[in-house]
Amino acid sequence: MISDIKILFHQGKQYIPDVTTAEVPGIFRGRPVISTEPADVARLVEICPTGAISTGPVSIDMGKCVFCGECQFAYPGKIRFTKDFKISSASREGLIVPEGRDVPVTVNPALIRKEIRKLFGKSLKLRQVSAGGDNSCEWELNAAGNVNFDMGRFGIEFVASPRHADGIVITGPITKNMARPLQICYDAVPHPKVIILAGTDAISGGIFAGSNALDRSFLDKYPVDLYIPGNPVHPLTFINGVLDLIRNRK
Ligand code: SF4
């Protein structure tokens, strides 16, 4: 008993007390900031492997960005990536960061279906569908439930069956082979169903965008409730994004 207490004391608190203000250690690329200083814009566009950079004005689409950092390495005075991990949006357009903007990305409550906060504010069960994913986002989503991030304390959990779920979290670019299983899973979730896209591959196809191996027609049929960028998604990005979707935290 005494030795158990000693171990507990030695280990201290393993969970992150406040997931909204935690600092991510080491290299992490979150919300980009683009300065208005002149740069070779054509070269910038050329550098980006996924077409995430647009011109007029220069902007980065976090739904396409794989956060490789190549643009920052080439033009550090023009582009820098902050450690701001709260980058989720209820709209696709909300993921686009234009030059000269250095404000947090928020989940616009006006775009959230009313029943989501009413029904799932205290408990949201999700079924994860890896639709051709490479196990990076899946790994991070798994970590969101571990003792450090502990998203279960907010009532957010992954469940083993879509029949027990309130919604689905899609990772991966949605390959042809996974198009039908994704549809079957979605059909098995009771109404109202939440759809969350987690990671660049799910949001835009990422580096696989335009591939013949993909079938993303599912996304043409149903409205997406939350876009969570990242490559892969950081657990803090996921938890904060989902909390902003289901709760009013202002
Ligand atoms: S960090 Fe994003 S915007 Fe910059 S080059 Fe890589 S994919 Fe493109």
Side-chain angles (χ1 to χ4, degrees), residues 29 44 47-53 60 64-72 79 81:
R29 295 188 188 100
L44 254 181
I47 285 172
C48 183
T50 55
I53 300 178
I60 292 180
K64 291 183 179 175
C65 178
V66 290
F67 298 85
C68 64
E70 289 300 321
C71 53
Q72 182 179 17
I79 295 177
F81 283 83

PDB file of all heavy atoms in Angstrom, residues 29 44 47-53 60 64-72 79 81, ligand 1:
ATOM      1  N   ARG A  29       3.784  22.033 -36.130  1.00  0.00           N
ATOM      2  CA  ARG A  29       3.298  23.077 -37.033  1.00  0.00           C
ATOM      3  C   ARG A  29       1.780  23.139 -36.938  1.00  0.00           C
ATOM      4  O   ARG A  29       1.105  22.197 -37.342  1.00  0.00           O
ATOM      5  CB  ARG A  29       3.736  22.808 -38.476  1.00  0.00           C
ATOM      6  CG  ARG A  29       5.235  22.873 -38.657  1.00  0.00           C
ATOM      7  CD  ARG A  29       5.685  22.797 -40.104  1.00  0.00           C
ATOM      8  NE  ARG A  29       7.140  22.667 -40.113  1.00  0.00           N
ATOM      9  CZ  ARG A  29       7.787  21.513 -40.286  1.00  0.00           C
ATOM     10  NH1 ARG A  29       7.115  20.408 -40.514  1.00  0.00           N
ATOM     11  NH2 ARG A  29       9.099  21.469 -40.236  1.00  0.00           N
ATOM     12  N   LEU A  44       6.504  30.003 -54.524  1.00  0.00           N
ATOM     13  CA  LEU A  44       5.829  29.455 -53.346  1.00  0.00           C
ATOM     14  C   LEU A  44       4.788  28.414 -53.755  1.00  0.00           C
ATOM     15  O   LEU A  44       4.710  27.324 -53.188  1.00  0.00           O
ATOM     16  CB  LEU A  44       5.108  30.590 -52.603  1.00  0.00           C
ATOM     17  CG  LEU A  44       5.684  31.104 -51.297  1.00  0.00           C
ATOM     18  CD1 LEU A  44       4.791  32.205 -50.743  1.00  0.00           C
ATOM     19  CD2 LEU A  44       5.856  30.002 -50.286  1.00  0.00           C
ATOM     20  N   ILE A  47       6.415  25.231 -54.855  1.00  0.00           N
ATOM     21  CA  ILE A  47       7.019  24.433 -53.782  1.00  0.00           C
ATOM     22  C   ILE A  47       6.006  23.487 -53.140  1.00  0.00           C
ATOM     23  O   ILE A  47       6.321  22.355 -52.785  1.00  0.00           O
ATOM     24  CB  ILE A  47       7.588  25.377 -52.674  1.00  0.00           C
ATOM     25  CG1 ILE A  47       8.879  26.034 -53.137  1.00  0.00           C
ATOM     26  CG2 ILE A  47       7.818  24.625 -51.364  1.00  0.00           C
ATOM     27  CD1 ILE A  47       9.372  27.109 -52.182  1.00  0.00           C
ATOM     28  N   CYS A  48       4.782  23.973 -52.990  1.00  0.00           N
ATOM     29  CA  CYS A  48       3.783  23.221 -52.204  1.00  0.00           C
ATOM     30  C   CYS A  48       3.382  21.921 -52.912  1.00  0.00           C
ATOM     31  O   CYS A  48       2.905  21.949 -54.048  1.00  0.00           O
ATOM     32  CB  CYS A  48       2.559  24.096 -51.968  1.00  0.00           C
ATOM     33  SG  CYS A  48       1.338  23.260 -50.944  1.00  0.00           S
ATOM     34  N   PRO A  49       3.531  20.776 -52.252  1.00  0.00           N
ATOM     35  CA  PRO A  49       3.250  19.490 -52.913  1.00  0.00           C
ATOM     36  C   PRO A  49       1.762  19.176 -53.085  1.00  0.00           C
ATOM     37  O   PRO A  49       1.402  18.248 -53.817  1.00  0.00           O
ATOM     38  CB  PRO A  49       3.914  18.469 -51.975  1.00  0.00           C
ATOM     39  CG  PRO A  49       3.900  19.109 -50.633  1.00  0.00           C
ATOM     40  CD  PRO A  49       4.054  20.589 -50.882  1.00  0.00           C
ATOM     41  N   THR A  50       0.908  19.933 -52.400  1.00  0.00           N
ATOM     42  CA  THR A  50      -0.525  19.580 -52.450  1.00  0.00           C
ATOM     43  C   THR A  50      -1.408  20.702 -52.969  1.00  0.00           C
ATOM     44  O   THR A  50      -2.634  20.619 -52.873  1.00  0.00           O
ATOM     45  CB  THR A  50      -1.018  19.179 -51.040  1.00  0.00           C
ATOM     46  OG1 THR A  50      -0.703  20.250 -50.141  1.00  0.00           O
ATOM     47  CG2 THR A  50      -0.372  17.897 -50.567  1.00  0.00           C
ATOM     48  N   GLY A  51      -0.804  21.760 -53.474  1.00  0.00           N
ATOM     49  CA  GLY A  51      -1.611  22.869 -54.004  1.00  0.00           C
ATOM     50  C   GLY A  51      -2.344  23.622 -52.911  1.00  0.00           C
ATOM     51  O   GLY A  51      -3.403  24.207 -53.155  1.00  0.00           O
ATOM     52  N   ALA A  52      -1.766  23.633 -51.702  1.00  0.00           N
ATOM     53  CA  ALA A  52      -2.437  24.306 -50.581  1.00  0.00           C
ATOM     54  C   ALA A  52      -2.270  25.819 -50.631  1.00  0.00           C
ATOM     55  O   ALA A  52      -3.011  26.543 -49.974  1.00  0.00           O
ATOM     56  CB  ALA A  52      -1.901  23.766 -49.251  1.00  0.00           C
ATOM     57  N   ILE A  53      -1.267  26.284 -51.400  1.00  0.00           N
ATOM     58  CA  ILE A  53      -1.012  27.720 -51.447  1.00  0.00           C
ATOM     59  C   ILE A  53      -1.668  28.324 -52.685  1.00  0.00           C
ATOM     60  O   ILE A  53      -1.487  27.829 -53.798  1.00  0.00           O
ATOM     61  CB  ILE A  53       0.505  28.001 -51.468  1.00  0.00           C
ATOM     62  CG1 ILE A  53       1.158  27.424 -50.196  1.00  0.00           C
ATOM     63  CG2 ILE A  53       0.784  29.503 -51.564  1.00  0.00           C
ATOM     64  CD1 ILE A  53       2.668  27.592 -50.136  1.00  0.00           C
ATOM     65  N   ILE A  60      -3.094  29.979 -47.415  1.00  0.00           N
ATOM     66  CA  ILE A  60      -2.840  28.545 -47.225  1.00  0.00           C
ATOM     67  C   ILE A  60      -4.138  27.877 -46.818  1.00  0.00           C
ATOM     68  O   ILE A  60      -4.812  28.312 -45.885  1.00  0.00           O
ATOM     69  CB  ILE A  60      -1.757  28.308 -46.142  1.00  0.00           C
ATOM     70  CG1 ILE A  60      -0.393  28.797 -46.636  1.00  0.00           C
ATOM     71  CG2 ILE A  60      -1.681  26.824 -45.767  1.00  0.00           C
ATOM     72  CD1 ILE A  60       0.741  28.601 -45.651  1.00  0.00           C
ATOM     73  N   LYS A  64      -5.758  21.327 -47.226  1.00  0.00           N
ATOM     74  CA  LYS A  64      -4.890  20.677 -48.216  1.00  0.00           C
ATOM     75  C   LYS A  64      -3.449  20.563 -47.717  1.00  0.00           C
ATOM     76  O   LYS A  64      -2.679  19.752 -48.232  1.00  0.00           O
ATOM     77  CB  LYS A  64      -4.893  21.480 -49.529  1.00  0.00           C
ATOM     78  CG  LYS A  64      -6.199  21.441 -50.289  1.00  0.00           C
ATOM     79  CD  LYS A  64      -6.045  22.220 -51.602  1.00  0.00           C
ATOM     80  CE  LYS A  64      -7.319  22.194 -52.419  1.00  0.00           C
ATOM     81  NZ  LYS A  64      -7.179  23.040 -53.623  1.00  0.00           N
ATOM     82  N   CYS A  65      -3.077  21.409 -46.763  1.00  0.00           N
ATOM     83  CA  CYS A  65      -1.694  21.470 -46.290  1.00  0.00           C
ATOM     84  C   CYS A  65      -1.302  20.180 -45.553  1.00  0.00           C
ATOM     85  O   CYS A  65      -2.073  19.670 -44.744  1.00  0.00           O
ATOM     86  CB  CYS A  65      -1.562  22.672 -45.356  1.00  0.00           C
ATOM     87  SG  CYS A  65       0.066  22.875 -44.630  1.00  0.00           S
ATOM     88  N   VAL A  66      -0.123  19.673 -45.872  1.00  0.00           N
ATOM     89  CA  VAL A  66       0.380  18.493 -45.151  1.00  0.00           C
ATOM     90  C   VAL A  66       1.414  18.898 -44.091  1.00  0.00           C
ATOM     91  O   VAL A  66       2.090  18.052 -43.521  1.00  0.00           O
ATOM     92  CB  VAL A  66       0.972  17.429 -46.113  1.00  0.00           C
ATOM     93  CG1 VAL A  66      -0.115  16.773 -46.918  1.00  0.00           C
ATOM     94  CG2 VAL A  66       2.047  18.021 -47.013  1.00  0.00           C
ATOM     95  N   PHE A  67       1.517  20.214 -43.867  1.00  0.00           N
ATOM     96  CA  PHE A  67       2.363  20.756 -42.788  1.00  0.00           C
ATOM     97  C   PHE A  67       3.811  20.262 -42.906  1.00  0.00           C
ATOM     98  O   PHE A  67       4.463  19.986 -41.905  1.00  0.00           O
ATOM     99  CB  PHE A  67       1.760  20.429 -41.418  1.00  0.00           C
ATOM    100  CG  PHE A  67       0.385  21.049 -41.221  1.00  0.00           C
ATOM    101  CD1 PHE A  67      -0.758  20.404 -41.670  1.00  0.00           C
ATOM    102  CD2 PHE A  67       0.250  22.296 -40.623  1.00  0.00           C
ATOM    103  CE1 PHE A  67      -2.023  20.987 -41.514  1.00  0.00           C
ATOM    104  CE2 PHE A  67      -1.009  22.883 -40.461  1.00  0.00           C
ATOM    105  CZ  PHE A  67      -2.147  22.216 -40.909  1.00  0.00           C
ATOM    106  N   CYS A  68       4.272  20.167 -44.147  1.00  0.00           N
ATOM    107  CA  CYS A  68       5.648  19.701 -44.375  1.00  0.00           C
ATOM    108  C   CYS A  68       6.671  20.778 -44.032  1.00  0.00           C
ATOM    109  O   CYS A  68       7.832  20.490 -43.777  1.00  0.00           O
ATOM    110  CB  CYS A  68       5.814  19.271 -45.831  1.00  0.00           C
ATOM    111  SG  CYS A  68       5.605  20.608 -47.022  1.00  0.00           S
ATOM    112  N   GLY A  69       6.247  22.046 -44.064  1.00  0.00           N
ATOM    113  CA  GLY A  69       7.135  23.138 -43.692  1.00  0.00           C
ATOM    114  C   GLY A  69       8.011  23.639 -44.829  1.00  0.00           C
ATOM    115  O   GLY A  69       8.809  24.562 -44.626  1.00  0.00           O
ATOM    116  N   GLU A  70       7.879  23.090 -46.027  1.00  0.00           N
ATOM    117  CA  GLU A  70       8.758  23.480 -47.137  1.00  0.00           C
ATOM    118  C   GLU A  70       8.631  24.967 -47.472  1.00  0.00           C
ATOM    119  O   GLU A  70       9.620  25.627 -47.774  1.00  0.00           O
ATOM    120  CB  GLU A  70       8.451  22.632 -48.384  1.00  0.00           C
ATOM    121  CG  GLU A  70       8.878  21.184 -48.281  1.00  0.00           C
ATOM    122  CD  GLU A  70      10.376  21.023 -48.067  1.00  0.00           C
ATOM    123  OE1 GLU A  70      11.152  21.781 -48.672  1.00  0.00           O
ATOM    124  OE2 GLU A  70      10.767  20.155 -47.273  1.00  0.00           O
ATOM    125  N   CYS A  71       7.416  25.489 -47.412  1.00  0.00           N
ATOM    126  CA  CYS A  71       7.214  26.905 -47.736  1.00  0.00           C
ATOM    127  C   CYS A  71       7.889  27.792 -46.703  1.00  0.00           C
ATOM    128  O   CYS A  71       8.482  28.822 -47.035  1.00  0.00           O
ATOM    129  CB  CYS A  71       5.717  27.217 -47.838  1.00  0.00           C
ATOM    130  SG  CYS A  71       4.774  26.702 -46.401  1.00  0.00           S
ATOM    131  N   GLN A  72       7.826  27.388 -45.448  1.00  0.00           N
ATOM    132  CA  GLN A  72       8.469  28.159 -44.383  1.00  0.00           C
ATOM    133  C   GLN A  72       9.991  28.103 -44.510  1.00  0.00           C
ATOM    134  O   GLN A  72      10.671  29.104 -44.294  1.00  0.00           O
ATOM    135  CB  GLN A  72       8.042  27.620 -43.018  1.00  0.00           C
ATOM    136  CG  GLN A  72       8.612  28.390 -41.844  1.00  0.00           C
ATOM    137  CD  GLN A  72       8.147  27.831 -40.509  1.00  0.00           C
ATOM    138  OE1 GLN A  72       7.666  26.717 -40.404  1.00  0.00           O
ATOM    139  NE2 GLN A  72       8.305  28.621 -39.472  1.00  0.00           N
ATOM    140  N   ILE A  79       6.248  33.109 -44.473  1.00  0.00           N
ATOM    141  CA  ILE A  79       5.352  32.119 -43.860  1.00  0.00           C
ATOM    142  C   ILE A  79       5.999  31.533 -42.607  1.00  0.00           C
ATOM    143  O   ILE A  79       7.174  31.162 -42.606  1.00  0.00           O
ATOM    144  CB  ILE A  79       5.032  30.978 -44.851  1.00  0.00           C
ATOM    145  CG1 ILE A  79       4.236  31.533 -46.037  1.00  0.00           C
ATOM    146  CG2 ILE A  79       4.253  29.848 -44.171  1.00  0.00           C
ATOM    147  CD1 ILE A  79       3.926  30.522 -47.111  1.00  0.00           C
ATOM    148  N   PHE A  81       4.822  28.858 -39.205  1.00  0.00           N
ATOM    149  CA  PHE A  81       3.785  28.036 -38.582  1.00  0.00           C
ATOM    150  C   PHE A  81       3.860  28.223 -37.075  1.00  0.00           C
ATOM    151  O   PHE A  81       4.913  28.019 -36.471  1.00  0.00           O
ATOM    152  CB  PHE A  81       3.961  26.554 -38.960  1.00  0.00           C
ATOM    153  CG  PHE A  81       3.482  26.257 -40.340  1.00  0.00           C
ATOM    154  CD1 PHE A  81       4.303  26.490 -41.438  1.00  0.00           C
ATOM    155  CD2 PHE A  81       2.197  25.796 -40.564  1.00  0.00           C
ATOM    156  CE1 PHE A  81       3.860  26.249 -42.727  1.00  0.00           C
ATOM    157  CE2 PHE A  81       1.739  25.556 -41.850  1.00  0.00           C
ATOM    158  CZ  PHE A  81       2.571  25.774 -42.939  1.00  0.00           C
TER     159      PHE A  81
HETATM  160  S1  SF4 B   1       3.626  23.372 -45.241  1.00  0.00           S
HETATM  161 FE1  SF4 B   1       1.645  23.219 -46.265  1.00  0.00          FE
HETATM  162  S2  SF4 B   1       1.472  25.074 -47.481  1.00  0.00           S
HETATM  163 FE2  SF4 B   1       3.661  24.838 -46.951  1.00  0.00          FE
HETATM  164  S3  SF4 B   1       4.549  23.696 -48.654  1.00  0.00           S
HETATM  165 FE3  SF4 B   1       3.958  22.172 -47.126  1.00  0.00          FE
HETATM  166  S4  SF4 B   1       1.899  21.546 -47.723  1.00  0.00           S
HETATM  167 FE4  SF4 B   1       2.325  23.464 -48.815  1.00  0.00          FE
END
